[in-house]
Amino acid sequence: MAKDYLKPAIGGAIIDASCGSGLFSRMFAKSSMYSLVVALDFSENMLRQCYEFINQEDTPKENLILVRADVSRLPFRSGSIDAVHAGAALHCWPSPSAAVAEISRVLRPGGVFVATTAIFDGIFSWIPLVRTLRQTLASVSGNKFYLSEAELKDLCKACGLVDFTCQRNGPFVMLSAMKHN
């Protein structure tokens, strides 16, 4: 699914934000579809693991770099990136709004942001106890739990991203939004 959303970035530079062990970063590099793949994570240990997998799998290194950075303070020029992918990461960021705003800043006009997360919606989201439980879980785990697709759409819109789309499989959500031209 990510490949379909990322078609506008073919031939350009892509960041795999909060890449972890680099599963998607390695896939992007092996595809030869991007001129530059940035495996980006805040954790030095995750980047070390990513590096080990790159070497074990003989992943092409010509267009792949590893960068340690906070997703809320990306070390890239404004408008210099064609796509940002964030697999199962959005809910883990301390400030999703700051991170998405920063992603929007580095995306070129027409650039795409693709992310996966989980949402907890439906009839139970309207019960006050569920909202309280969500806040409690967020404070204990440090994760941000979303109650609706509308919340995710509003987050993207507030950060200057348009053409929001969302595909769901139960609580699993893959979203896409584009930097306004």
Side-chain angles (χ1 to χ4, degrees):
M1 286 183 355
K3 281 184 180 179
D4 287 339
Y5 282 123
L6 293 166
K7 281 183 181 174
I10 291 175
I14 184 171
I15 296 173
D16 186 21
S18 298
C19 69
S21 64
L23 176 67
F24 280 94
S25 303
R26 296 188 316 270
M27 181 186 74
F28 296 148
K30 289 176 187 175
S31 76
S32 299
M33 292 171 49
Y34 307 99
S35 60
L36 176 65
V37 177
V38 178
L40 183 134
D41 205 289
F42 187 74
S43 168
E44 188 175 333
N45 287 334
M46 287 281 78
L47 287 172
R48 192 172 286 120
Q49 187 176 33
C50 179
Y51 181 77
E52 289 170 9
F53 281 127
I54 288 167
N55 288 325
Q56 287 172 9
E57 297 175 4
D58 290 326
T59 302
K61 298 174 188 77
E62 299 78 35
N63 67 337
L64 175 63
I65 61 170
L66 279 66
V67 174
R68 182 176 184 272
D70 182 338
V71 71
S72 297
R73 298 182 69 205
L74 296 171
F76 303 100
R77 283 190 337 252
S78 297
S80 64
I81 302 296
D82 297 285
V84 176
H85 171 265
L90 183 63
H91 54 275
C92 298
W93 295 337
S95 175
S97 57
V100 175
E102 183 67 353
I103 287 166
S104 180
R105 180 189 69 78
V106 301
L107 283 175
R108 67 165 173 74
V112 66
F113 171 52
V114 176
T116 56
T117 190
I119 60 174
F120 301 95
D121 61 353
I123 192 166
F124 299 110
S125 67
W126 297 104
I127 300 170
L129 179 61
V130 172
R131 289 186 181 274
T132 303
L133 179 60
R134 174 180 87 146
Q135 291 168 344
T136 303
L137 284 171
S139 66
V140 170
S141 68
N143 293 344
K144 165 79 169 135
F145 296 98
Y146 295 92
L147 289 179
S148 69
E149 292 176 31
E151 250 186 327
L152 292 169
K153 183 177 183 175
D154 289 346
L155 170 66
C156 289
K157 183 178 178 184
C159 295
L161 301 174
V162 297
D163 297 335
F164 177 88
T165 62
C166 192
Q167 284 188 315
R168 291 193 60 179
N169 184 0
F172 173 82
V173 175
M174 177 168 271
L175 67 95
S176 173
M178 187 172 290
K179 175 73 177 270
H180 189 301
N181 284 327

